[in-house]
mmCIF file with all atom_site columns, all heavy atoms in Angstrom:
data_model
loop_
_atom_site.group_PDB
_atom_site.id
_atom_site.type_symbol
_atom_site.label_atom_id
_atom_site.label_alt_id
_atom_site.label_comp_id
_atom_site.label_asym_id
_atom_site.label_entity_id
_atom_site.label_seq_id
_atom_site.pdbx_PDB_ins_code
_atom_site.Cartn_x
_atom_site.Cartn_y
_atom_site.Cartn_z
_atom_site.occupancy
_atom_site.B_iso_or_equiv
_atom_site.pdbx_formal_charge
_atom_site.auth_seq_id
_atom_site.auth_comp_id
_atom_site.auth_asym_id
_atom_site.auth_atom_id
_atom_site.pdbx_PDB_model_num
ATOM 1  N N   . LEU A 1 195 ? 96.323  102.246 83.577 1.00 0.00 ? 195 LEU A N   1
ATOM 2  C CA  . LEU A 1 195 ? 95.923  101.413 82.455 1.00 0.00 ? 195 LEU A CA  1
ATOM 3  C C   . LEU A 1 195 ? 94.959  102.161 81.513 1.00 0.00 ? 195 LEU A C   1
ATOM 4  O O   . LEU A 1 195 ? 94.996  101.943 80.254 1.00 0.00 ? 195 LEU A O   1
ATOM 5  C CB  . LEU A 1 195 ? 95.353  100.105 83.082 1.00 0.00 ? 195 LEU A CB  1
ATOM 6  C CG  . LEU A 1 195 ? 96.361  99.173  83.716 1.00 0.00 ? 195 LEU A CG  1
ATOM 7  C CD1 . LEU A 1 195 ? 95.598  97.993  84.150 1.00 0.00 ? 195 LEU A CD1 1
ATOM 8  C CD2 . LEU A 1 195 ? 97.466  98.734  82.775 1.00 0.00 ? 195 LEU A CD2 1
ATOM 9  N N   . ALA A 1 196 ? 94.180  102.909 81.986 1.00 0.00 ? 196 ALA A N   1
ATOM 10 C CA  . ALA A 1 196 ? 93.108  103.633 81.348 1.00 0.00 ? 196 ALA A CA  1
ATOM 11 C C   . ALA A 1 196 ? 93.790  104.592 80.260 1.00 0.00 ? 196 ALA A C   1
ATOM 12 O O   . ALA A 1 196 ? 93.417  104.697 79.154 1.00 0.00 ? 196 ALA A O   1
ATOM 13 C CB  . ALA A 1 196 ? 92.233  104.365 82.108 1.00 0.00 ? 196 ALA A CB  1
ATOM 14 N N   . SER A 1 197 ? 94.862  105.270 80.642 1.00 0.00 ? 197 SER A N   1
ATOM 15 C CA  . SER A 1 197 ? 95.451  106.213 79.772 1.00 0.00 ? 197 SER A CA  1
ATOM 16 C C   . SER A 1 197 ? 96.215  105.471 78.607 1.00 0.00 ? 197 SER A C   1
ATOM 17 O O   . SER A 1 197 ? 96.542  105.829 77.493 1.00 0.00 ? 197 SER A O   1
ATOM 18 C CB  . SER A 1 197 ? 96.509  107.071 80.487 1.00 0.00 ? 197 SER A CB  1
ATOM 19 O OG  . SER A 1 197 ? 97.403  106.317 81.152 1.00 0.00 ? 197 SER A OG  1
ATOM 20 N N   . LEU A 1 198 ? 96.654  104.139 78.994 1.00 0.00 ? 198 LEU A N   1
ATOM 21 C CA  . LEU A 1 198 ? 97.341  103.356 77.967 1.00 0.00 ? 198 LEU A CA  1
ATOM 22 C C   . LEU A 1 198 ? 96.442  102.562 76.996 1.00 0.00 ? 198 LEU A C   1
ATOM 23 O O   . LEU A 1 198 ? 96.895  101.847 76.077 1.00 0.00 ? 198 LEU A O   1
ATOM 24 C CB  . LEU A 1 198 ? 98.308  102.435 78.722 1.00 0.00 ? 198 LEU A CB  1
ATOM 25 C CG  . LEU A 1 198 ? 99.533  103.040 79.570 1.00 0.00 ? 198 LEU A CG  1
ATOM 26 C CD1 . LEU A 1 198 ? 100.216 101.922 80.265 1.00 0.00 ? 198 LEU A CD1 1
ATOM 27 C CD2 . LEU A 1 198 ? 100.327 103.926 78.613 1.00 0.00 ? 198 LEU A CD2 1
ATOM 28 N N   . GLY A 1 199 ? 95.166  102.636 77.378 1.00 0.00 ? 199 GLY A N   1
ATOM 29 C CA  . GLY A 1 199 ? 94.252  101.915 76.399 1.00 0.00 ? 199 GLY A CA  1
ATOM 30 C C   . GLY A 1 199 ? 94.058  100.514 76.782 1.00 0.00 ? 199 GLY A C   1
ATOM 31 O O   . GLY A 1 199 ? 93.543  99.641  75.902 1.00 0.00 ? 199 GLY A O   1
ATOM 32 N N   . ASP A 1 200 ? 94.436  100.057 77.996 1.00 0.00 ? 200 ASP A N   1
ATOM 33 C CA  . ASP A 1 200 ? 94.453  98.685  78.374 1.00 0.00 ? 200 ASP A CA  1
ATOM 34 C C   . ASP A 1 200 ? 92.978  98.367  79.067 1.00 0.00 ? 200 ASP A C   1
ATOM 35 O O   . ASP A 1 200 ? 92.921  97.541  80.073 1.00 0.00 ? 200 ASP A O   1
ATOM 36 C CB  . ASP A 1 200 ? 95.538  98.316  79.371 1.00 0.00 ? 200 ASP A CB  1
ATOM 37 C CG  . ASP A 1 200 ? 96.845  98.267  78.639 1.00 0.00 ? 200 ASP A CG  1
ATOM 38 O OD1 . ASP A 1 200 ? 96.789  98.093  77.531 1.00 0.00 ? 200 ASP A OD1 1
ATOM 39 O OD2 . ASP A 1 200 ? 97.795  98.252  79.343 1.00 0.00 ? 200 ASP A OD2 1
#
Side-chain angles (χ1 to χ4, degrees):
L195 291 179
S197 60
L198 297 177
D200 289 340

